[in-house]
Amino acid sequence: MSESPPTRDSSRTLELRVPEMDCPTCAGKVRNSVDRLDGIDRIEPRVTSGRLIVEYEPTVTTEGAIRERVKAAGYTIESNASELTLSVPEMDCASCANKIENALEETDGVEEIETRPASGRVTVTTTEADAGNVTTAIEAAGYEATATGDDTQLADQRAVWKSRRAAGTAIGAVLVAAGMALEFVFSAADPTLVSIAAGPVNRTYELSHLLFVTAVVVAGTPILWNGYYSVRNRSLDIDFLMSVGIVASVAAHHPFEGAMLAVLFSVAELLERFSMDRARDSLRELMDLSPDTATVRREDGTEETRPADELAVGDTVVVRPGEKIPADGTVLEGESAVDQSPITGESVPEDKIEGDEVYAGTIAESGYLEIDVESAAEDSTLARIIRMVEDAEREKTDREQFIDRFASVYTPIVVVLAVAAAVVPPLLVGASWSYWFIVGLTLLVISCPCALVISTPVSVVSGITNAARNGVLIKGGKHLEAVGDSEVLAVDKTGTLTTGDLSVTDVIGLEGADEEDVLRRAAAAERRSEHPIGEAIVGYAEEQGVVRPEDEADVSEFEALTGKGVRAEIDGDTHYVGKPDLFDGLADLEHVHATTDGGVSLAEMGYETTPQPQCERGGCLDVLEDVVPDLEAEGKTVVIVGTEDRPLGVVAVADRVRAAATWAVSQLHEQGVRVVMLTGDNEGTARAIADEVGIDEYHAELLPDEKLEWIQRLEETHGDEGDDAHVAMVGDGINDSPALATATVGIAMGAAGTDTALETADVALMGDDLTRLPYLYDLSGKANGVIRQNIWTSLAVKAVLAAGAPPGFVTVIHAVVIGDMGMSLGVTGNAMRLANVEPETPEMDSLQE
């Protein structure tokens, strides 16, 4: 959308993008709807480009009215707005943000405004306004702004205690101390400078008064300027209230109170800025993970140093021991142990060899690597993590929204009470103007809800940034809160409780074939198969040295039997490898003879042979009754190997349970979380895994839509009367997407480098580390506790101070030191405790082998 400036005859031209207006009938409908407005000079629908040109009289109708008529015709207007991000370091509280929002609302072309005090950034969606106009508007509100052009930039850290304001505050404090000494300690040495008689009132001004007024000028000027900007932007904030208090104190012959207010509030502002910088440090640590430069190998073999953000896809970068990897990519040459803790949170380095994937910001510890760059700097996994952590501040939690609504009512009410306290008692009952002025001034200071408003966002930023450092990406404050409020955790099996990698667990030889022969024949038949079970058998056979990848087995006539197994000619005989059902009508599985010579006996393996009276051979076995059920009960998949005439052996394949699964589930139980497994696997496998890991409840053989239905059932069955339970779901982020989307919180496992999981999950565990689940619940629970503490403490302190002001127990000094400065520092410091929450690492002997 664009709008031209007024022409000489005062008409304006408005251009709207209406993509759905793609035929003459659509154009006629839009034209008729807009033409119903008065003040329309010309309507020109352009069907081929989906644009609508309207000339109108701004004195008769408005752009908004035209937009409404287009929407009334049933069409959507597409905005061509762009997003602009600016760094505003001095915006470190809610009142600062409110003042900037008011200033930007008056700027033409600004559609949406997002202020983020915790990171010192302002994001503006504009249609016409450029960076210069937006920066000018913010500066008109009293703040310095710099366009970053990048949403991952953070407000620059300033030397708070070396700033001009800090110097002015220090000088003001010295002047106040000198004035107090003269007025209250050495009053005889406090000369009268001026005496003014105005009717019945006689005002005397001593040297101490001059010192107090000078302190107001030196320390209070920034406050008064900010108050001026608050008036310009119609913002009832702390700067305006403090300015009123300071000016009123000096005008009412209370320069000491005015000076104390100026100095103490300046100290509070400096401390708040310092504490906010401390909170922003955690975000800066993430940004500092990526190196500034990279060593690039040219085609001629020479090397050059290049800024990391200028790397292009296809470049080859060289990383030596101790250096950071500058981009996401694949190892072309070399091998090294790589510290991936910045991405996955896993402290144990992972060995990387040719063909392995690596991430920007990780560290090559022990070897040389050449890496093929596969993503630009702004698209790397680390860059996406940083963007998402910062974006987490955008979406306000339910508690933040409540506090905003509360503050919008609380502040005006207390301001009215402050004015009433200063004026009503003297007028009605002739009470002391001086006394009730101080009471009103105190209530005026108490009326600002700064500490209350920042209590939640600072906690959210601290918690989410700590989580990101430990390999857990939380996409917003409401998700951080929701995890701790979840009574039930639904977990997928494959890839979550288990590794998702199949491996051979049992090999049983039959009819004279030993384990090696069974494996060799099974691997030969499965070598051409693409099924995961076949790949697991071939891989295990290679590990055991039974076959080698370079060996050429005499295999022909290979055929994949969908849903059953494979068939192939091996050494001239037809072999079958697959499910027991595959052998229906072929080899007899009910009466076979186990091969035990030279190996472990069947009794040692847990199977009993049953002698058959009509059979003179020993080791008789019913595979279908004695072997298959036992293996399946252990969560294993059974594969039979044989020919048309006889079975040769049994191979069992299973998905291994993760080492930390049992420990993680037990820790979740201790935190009061009920763990329910939802899996598409068979009943026997689900039962075996649930028993092994300690799952409370499991549901097997579920399709993706049935998992979604079970999430809804869990919400209903485990909720309180009339309220559904909060259910979190953890899965692979792709196959379980319906259930993840339905759950209160969707948690994706192993999301590092996976675009889909990073974009769709509410919470992403960057590594396949189940120990992060108890940590996530611990962090979320503590974050919710800190937020509640901050909110209720702020409210309680405000209430106590307000109640103590009329009797004189609370003065302006108490209101500033405790109610403003003290509480702002208190809630920020309390929030920073979340940065110290660390994942608990289980002892090695407590993990499953």
Side-chain angles (χ1 to χ4, degrees):
M1 186 278 296
S2 63
E3 185 179 41
S4 67
T7 60
R8 283 178 295 182
D9 60 357
S10 77
S11 67
R12 288 189 178 184
T13 301
L14 175 67
E15 181 179 327
L16 300 174
R17 297 174 63 187
V18 189
E20 297 173 353
M21 186 184 65
D22 52 10
C23 66
T25 302
C26 300
K29 195 183 303 181
V30 172
R31 179 194 293 275
N32 292 337
S33 181
V34 175
D35 200 36
R36 294 171 59 183
L37 294 172
D38 294 331
I40 301 297
D41 296 331
R42 180 173 68 94
I43 305 173
E44 183 184 342
R46 299 178 181 176
V47 175
T48 55
S49 61
R51 294 178 180 273
L52 178 69
I53 311 299
V54 181
E55 285 188 10
Y56 68 99
E57 295 291 337
T59 57
V60 181
T61 189
T62 63
E63 175 191 332
I66 297 172
R67 287 174 172 271
E68 288 301 319
R69 292 314 308 163
V70 174
K71 293 177 182 177
Y75 295 89
T76 301
I77 299 171
E78 183 178 293
S79 173
N80 61 350
S82 59
E83 195 170 79
L84 176 66
T85 301
L86 300 100
S87 172
V88 189
E90 296 176 353
M91 183 190 66
D92 51 18
C93 67
S95 66
C96 301
N98 187 52
K99 196 182 305 179
I100 289 172
E101 289 172 4
N102 290 341
L104 289 173
E105 285 173 357
E106 303 296 327
T107 304
D108 291 336
V110 172
E111 290 191 347
E112 295 180 7
I113 306 163
E114 281 186 323
T115 50
R116 309 181 206 175
S119 55
R121 290 186 297 115
V122 175
T123 301
V124 179
T125 302
T126 69
T127 53
E128 294 179 3
D130 56 22
N133 292 338
V134 174
T135 301
T136 300
I138 295 175
E139 290 176 346
Y143 298 88
E144 293 183 9
T146 305
T148 66
D150 182 358
D151 202 38
T152 62
Q153 296 297 314
L154 195 62
D156 295 333
Q157 189 168 14
R158 304 292 182 86
V160 174
W161 303 114
K162 297 180 180 179
S163 65
R164 179 180 299 178
R165 183 163 189 178
T169 303
I171 295 171
V174 171
L175 293 171
V176 169
M180 290 175 64
L182 286 175
E183 183 169 358
F184 302 112
V185 181
F186 307 107
S187 54
D190 188 12
T192 299
L193 301 179
V194 179
S195 180
I196 300 175
V201 180
N202 184 29
R203 299 292 192 190
T204 59
Y205 296 90
E206 292 84 10
L207 177 59
S208 58
H209 284 64
L210 177 62
L211 294 175
F212 292 143
V213 172
T214 305
V216 166
V217 173
V218 175
T221 297
I223 302 171
L224 298 176
W225 270 114
N226 288 336
Y228 162 73
Y229 288 120
S230 298
V231 173
R232 283 186 53 181
N233 293 286
R234 302 185 302 280
S235 178
L236 183 64
D237 58 18
I238 187 65
D239 292 318
F240 170 74
L241 298 175
M242 290 297 169
S243 297
V244 170
I246 291 170
V247 172
S249 296
V250 175
H253 200 59
H254 291 282
F256 168 66
E257 284 75 10
M260 288 298 294
L261 198 57
V263 171
L264 290 176
F265 182 66
S266 290
V267 172
E269 289 281 279
L270 292 169
L271 286 171
E272 187 176 86
R273 193 167 300 167
F274 174 74
S275 61
M276 189 60 71
D277 269 341
R278 292 287 302 277
R280 292 172 183 171
D281 280 344
S282 56
L283 288 175
R284 292 190 182 94
E285 289 176 8
L286 283 177
M287 297 178 185
D288 290 341
L289 290 174
S290 184
D292 295 328
T293 60
T295 302
V296 180
R297 180 179 294 283
R298 297 192 184 101
E299 294 183 0
D300 59 5
T302 61
E303 297 180 358
E304 69 168 330
T305 301
R306 187 185 303 172
D309 56 5
E310 293 182 6
L311 290 175
V313 175
D315 284 343
T316 299
V317 295
V318 173
V319 181
R320 294 179 171 82
E323 294 181 350
K324 292 180 180 179
I325 294 173
D328 286 4
T330 301
V331 177
L332 295 175
E333 182 180 329
E335 58 181 65
S336 174
V338 176
D339 177 6
Q340 297 194 135
S341 58
I343 302 296
T344 65
E346 176 56 56
S347 58
V348 178
E350 184 172 331
D351 292 331
K352 297 291 184 179
I353 59 176
E354 182 179 340
D356 286 345
E357 188 176 18
V358 292
Y359 307 116
T362 57
I363 304 169
E365 293 196 337
S366 58
Y368 170 91
L369 296 174
E370 288 188 12
I371 299 167
D372 177 34
V373 176
E374 295 182 343
S375 66
E378 64 272 14
D379 297 324
S380 71
T381 301
L382 178 60
R384 294 202 302 273
I385 291 172
I386 293 171
R387 279 198 298 271
M388 290 175 184
V389 169
E390 290 197 289
D391 285 346
E393 193 186 349
R394 287 189 173 195
E395 193 169 1
K396 290 188 176 181
T397 68
D398 292 339
R399 289 187 177 94
E400 281 184 272
Q401 294 174 16
F402 164 76
I403 291 301
D404 287 344
R405 292 193 299 269
F406 175 83
S408 66
V409 176
Y410 163 84
T411 298
I413 289 176
V414 181
V415 169
V416 171
L417 290 176
V419 174
V423 176
V424 173
L427 291 178
L428 289 184
V429 297
S432 168
W433 281 96
S434 178
Y435 178 85
W436 286 101
F437 173 81
I438 299 300
V439 172
L441 186 61
T442 303
L443 289 174
L444 199 65
V445 175
I446 294 171
S447 67
C448 182
C450 276
L452 185 63
V453 173
I454 69 171
S455 58
T456 298
V458 174
S459 303
V460 166
V461 169
S462 179
I464 287 178
T465 308
N466 178 24
R469 288 201 307 267
N470 287 289
V472 180
L473 179 59
I474 304 174
K475 305 282 280 296
K478 72 175 185 179
H479 304 308
L480 175 65
E481 291 184 353
V483 171
D485 293 334
S486 300
E487 300 93 341
V488 180
L489 175 65
V491 298
D492 178 45
K493 179 185 76 70
T494 305
T496 303
L497 293 175
T498 64
T499 62
D501 297 325
L502 296 175
S503 60
V504 175
T505 58
D506 302 85
V507 180
I508 302 172
L510 304 173
E511 301 297 347
D514 58 19
E515 292 183 9
E516 182 174 320
D517 192 31
V518 173
L519 271 178
R520 184 183 68 82
R521 293 171 184 267
E526 293 280 12
R527 183 169 294 281
R528 300 181 187 179
S529 171
E530 296 180 354
H531 195 281
I533 292 178
E535 293 175 353
I537 292 173
V538 173
Y540 182 75
E542 292 175 353
E543 290 176 7
Q544 299 300 310
V546 175
V547 294
R548 294 174 300 176
E550 60 268 21
D551 289 342
E552 289 292 338
D554 186 12
V555 180
S556 60
E557 304 296 329
F558 172 84
E559 181 182 2
L561 306 173
T562 304
K564 294 184 177 181
V566 300
R567 176 173 55 201
E569 294 286 335
I570 303 176
D571 298 331
D573 292 330
T574 301
H575 285 66
Y576 294 85
V577 180
K579 295 180 178 179
D581 294 347
L582 177 61
F583 287 83
D584 289 346
L586 297 175
D588 181 15
L589 299 180
E590 297 180 356
H591 181 198
V592 299
H593 302 90
T595 302
T596 58
D597 294 342
V600 180
S601 69
L602 287 177
E604 292 176 310
M605 296 173 62
Y607 304 105
E608 294 184 5
T609 56
T610 304
Q612 299 290 333
Q614 69 276 20
C615 183
E616 298 178 356
R617 299 173 59 186
C620 298
L621 193 67
D622 187 336
V623 173
L624 298 179
E625 292 293 332
D626 299 332
V627 179
V628 173
D630 289 344
L631 291 173
E632 288 184 344
E634 295 173 2
K636 301 172 182 178
T637 300
V638 178
V639 175
I640 308 296
V641 182
T643 65
E644 294 181 343
D645 302 323
R646 64 191 178 104
L648 298 174
V650 177
V651 178
V653 179
D655 185 2
R656 291 174 296 176
V657 173
R658 292 187 186 276
T662 302
W663 179 88
V665 171
S666 68
Q667 292 296 306
L668 290 168
H669 285 161
E670 290 181 8
Q671 295 178 21
V673 180
R674 181 175 180 82
V675 183
V676 179
M677 183 173 71
L678 305 178
T679 178
D681 218 330
N682 63 70
E683 177 77 15
T685 300
R687 185 190 315 110
I689 297 297
D691 291 342
E692 181 176 355
V693 176
I695 296 292
D696 297 297
E697 176 184 343
Y698 72 89
H699 303 280
E701 302 179 10
L702 301 178
L703 297 174
D705 59 333
E706 291 174 325
K707 288 185 179 182
L708 182 152
E709 292 174 2
W710 266 107
I711 293 292
Q712 296 171 334
R713 290 186 198 176
L714 292 172
E715 290 175 343
E716 295 170 0
T717 56
H718 294 284
D720 297 329
E721 187 174 345
D723 293 322
D724 288 347
H726 293 284
V727 177
M729 169 73 186
V730 56
D732 62 13
I734 301 173
N735 298 332
D736 299 310
S737 55
L740 290 170
T742 303
T744 308
V745 185
I747 306 171
M749 281 282 291
T754 306
D755 292 345
T756 304
L758 277 175
E759 297 297 333
T760 60
D762 300 322
V763 178
L765 307 184
M766 303 307 292
D768 292 322
D769 187 357
L770 284 175
T771 65
R772 293 305 185 262
L773 279 175
Y775 158 74
L776 174 60
Y777 270 85
D778 183 36
L779 177 66
S780 177
K782 288 179 178 177
N784 287 343
V786 165
I787 291 170
R788 285 192 292 268
Q789 292 163 14
N790 284 347
I791 291 173
W792 290 112
T793 302
S794 298
L795 289 173
V797 169
K798 293 284 187 184
V800 170
L801 292 174
F809 300 138
V810 175
T811 66
V812 174
I813 296 176
H814 297 107
V816 175
V817 173
I818 300 174
D820 184 68
M821 176 173 62
M823 285 312 305
S824 293
L825 291 176
V827 298
T828 304
N830 195 32
M832 293 306 295
R833 292 194 300 116
L834 296 175
N836 299 323
V837 179
E838 295 293 337
E840 183 178 349
T841 303
E843 297 293 335
M844 292 304 295
D845 57 5
S846 70
L847 299 180
Q848 295 188 23
E849 297 297 334

